[in-house]
Amino acid sequence: MTSLPAYAGRRCHNVLNPLHSTVYFSPDYQKELASAGVADRRASTFVGRAAALGKVGPGVVAAAFYNYSYDLICEVVPSVWQSTTPEDVVAARLRTADTTLRRLLGEQAIASDDMAEAARLALRAAEACTRHARPLYAAHADLPVPDEPHLALWHAATLLREHRGDGHLAVLLDAGLGPVEALVSHTATGKGMNPRWILATRGWTQEDWDAAVARLRARGLLDADGEPTGAGTALRKEIELTTDRLDAAPYEHLGAAGVERLTELATGFTTTALGAGAFPADLVGKG
């Protein structure tokens, strides 16, 4: 295997992951889910990813997703499976990926050699992902790879996202950060989701948020203004570095030249998607 700089895999992930995430902010997503029988709009925030797990109960979803309120999940799962099937939801999400990427990137990019190359590279990286202790990755790895290059790239981005994410949750658990504390500490860095979006989609209340802030202050991780202390900054840095280590295999497998090329291609696609309004302007920030 080729030794890579510690940041190389994270840098590649940071430009691939938005291609996957465009689906959840697409106007097509709710329409496709509704056509598949998902009437509860709250379900869209997690049921699309949970569908790969099959008809599991709320406990499995809460364990796999970590930072969603169990109460919210219970309001949706398992009742959602009375009106649809996991297979139909998986198909609806893939249709959303198709229409969304076509709209954001344009047909020329969709049909380009660069798209086909990016798909090949991302799928090659995903060959080195591992299933053990990674439930969301493992569930998605059992899904077929789409034939069309842009959907194959989206699928590979999904695999790499879930592989890193599953490892990241283990690191958060080891760091003693509960679901809301993890969200609060990430948002405090300025790189996490805006609290308004978190409270609107994750099922937590303002009281839950404030209580987590108080716990982080008591641990010396946030100051009186809610900003990260030196210890808080160091902890978030260590969390990312450990996540990098747990997620190194796909990028080591691809090799330095492949990672550099995939990062270059994905940066171009993601930049185009961002310019086309793929995400809300206020999605990230301290509020």
Side-chain angles (χ1 to χ4, degrees):
M1 297 199 300
T2 303
S3 179
L4 294 173
Y7 61 82
R10 190 195 314 172
R11 181 168 170 258
C12 190
H13 164 81
N14 286 344
V15 290
L16 268 177
N17 182 45
L19 294 176
H20 164 88
S21 301
T22 56
V23 164
Y24 307 114
F25 299 91
S26 170
D28 304 331
Y29 192 42
Q30 291 292 346
K31 296 176 184 176
E32 288 291 355
L33 285 182
S35 71
V38 182
D40 192 334
R41 294 180 66 89
R42 297 170 304 169
S44 66
T45 60
F46 57 87
V47 76
R49 290 169 66 205
L53 296 165
K55 287 187 177 182
V56 297
V60 174
V61 177
F65 281 68
Y66 198 82
N67 63 23
Y68 282 76
S69 163
Y70 179 66
D71 291 340
L72 171 62
I73 294 170
C74 286
E75 291 177 18
V76 175
V77 178
S79 61
V80 67
W81 304 129
Q82 296 175 9
S83 58
T84 189
T85 66
E87 293 78 12
D88 285 346
V89 172
V90 167
R93 191 172 66 150
L94 190 61
R95 290 195 300 272
T96 303
D98 181 31
T99 57
T100 300
L101 291 177
R102 288 182 186 278
R103 182 179 65 256
L104 295 174
L105 302 181
E107 293 296 335
Q108 185 174 348
I110 293 296
S112 68
D113 291 341
D114 282 353
M115 180 65 70
E117 182 184 3
R120 289 194 299 270
L121 290 170
L123 287 169
R124 188 184 308 161
E127 291 172 354
C129 293
T130 54
R131 286 179 169 82
H132 48 272
R134 288 185 163 96
L136 276 174
Y137 162 74
H140 285 86
D142 286 343
L143 299 177
V145 178
D147 293 329
E148 295 185 80
H150 68 294
L151 293 180
L153 175 60
W154 182 84
H155 175 76
T158 301
L159 298 181
L160 293 167
R161 166 204 171 99
E162 301 298 8
H163 188 268
R164 182 179 180 87
D166 285 336
H168 184 65
L169 300 188
V171 180
L172 292 175
L173 188 65
D174 183 62
L177 294 178
V180 190
E181 292 163 335
L183 292 167
V184 170
S185 64
H186 190 208
T187 294
T189 68
K191 299 178 181 179
M193 188 180 288
N194 188 302
R196 293 192 299 275
W197 279 93
I198 291 173
L199 297 181
T201 61
R202 298 304 192 264
W204 305 109
T205 66
Q206 185 64 53
E207 290 74 20
D208 295 323
W209 186 271
D210 293 342
V213 169
R215 291 192 295 271
L216 291 170
R217 284 174 177 161
R219 288 179 61 179
L221 300 176
L222 293 182
D223 64 20
D225 296 322
E227 296 294 321
T229 62
T233 299
L235 178 61
R236 289 301 318 191
K237 181 178 180 180
E238 182 59 30
I239 286 170
E240 293 304 323
L241 290 174
T242 305
T243 302
D244 290 344
R245 179 173 57 80
L246 295 179
D247 191 43
Y251 304 100
E252 291 281 1
H253 177 68
L254 185 56
V259 171
E260 182 178 358
R261 179 59 175 159
L262 178 57
T263 302
E264 176 187 5
L265 292 168
T267 296
F269 293 136
T270 292
T271 299
T272 299
L274 292 174
F279 302 100
D282 64 346
L283 182 62
V284 174
K286 299 181 181 182

